[in-house]
Amino acid sequence: QVQLVESGGGLVQPGGSLRLSCAASLSIFGIYTMGWYRQAPGKQRELVARITGDGRTNYADSVKGRFTISRDNVKNTVYLQMNSLKAEDTAIYYCNGELGARGYWGQGTQVTVSS
């Protein structure tokens, strides 16, 4: 059974940092494209960042320069380092793994940016 388990969310002040982790029980993790998405109240789920198996990355314009996605193919884990957080980054953050037509989601972790 495939599982993606996120951790690292929480409450942080504006300008602060958080590091999200997603541990994946995916067979041959290294060939999956992994991503972080987020969904704020009343809004659609949106892509935050993605990383391919060979390390190519892409980011939403709103997080470029502030967020960094990375992966450890030995630990089967993908990370999202979030710096200079803003109130508008408040959302539930979801981990995603995709390979061709197959896609898997984690249960999400809440990130709240507030003073």
Side-chain angles (χ1 to χ4, degrees), residues 32-70:
Y32 279 77
T33 291
M34 301 300 298
W36 288 97
Y37 291 72
R38 67 186 181 188
Q39 187 166 18
K43 294 187 177 181
Q44 289 189 331
R45 191 173 297 189
E46 63 175 1
L47 172 69
V48 176
R50 295 171 80 228
I51 183 167
T52 64
D54 59 358
R56 288 173 289 135
T57 59
N58 64 287
Y59 296 90
D61 287 343
S62 60
V63 306
K64 282 181 181 177
R66 299 189 299 122
F67 291 11
T68 302
I69 189 170
S70 61

Side-chain angles (χ1 to χ4, degrees), residues 1-6 21-30 32-34 71-78 95-98 104-106:
Q1 183 178 356
V2 174
Q3 282 190 312
L4 302 180
V5 180
E6 301 100 335
S21 299
C22 171
S25 64
L26 292 168
S27 176
I28 318 178
F29 173 81
Y32 279 77
T33 291
M34 301 300 298
R71 66 190 295 162
D72 185 331
N73 289 340
V74 174
K75 296 182 178 179
N76 281 21
T77 301
V78 62
C95 178
N96 170 265
E98 64 179 59
Y104 304 97
W105 292 92

Side-chain angles (χ1 to χ4, degrees), residues 82-95:
M82 304 186 294
N83 299 328
S84 301
L85 282 161
K86 305 175 181 179
E88 50 263 45
D89 295 318
T90 295
I92 299 174
Y93 283 70
Y94 296 91
C95 178

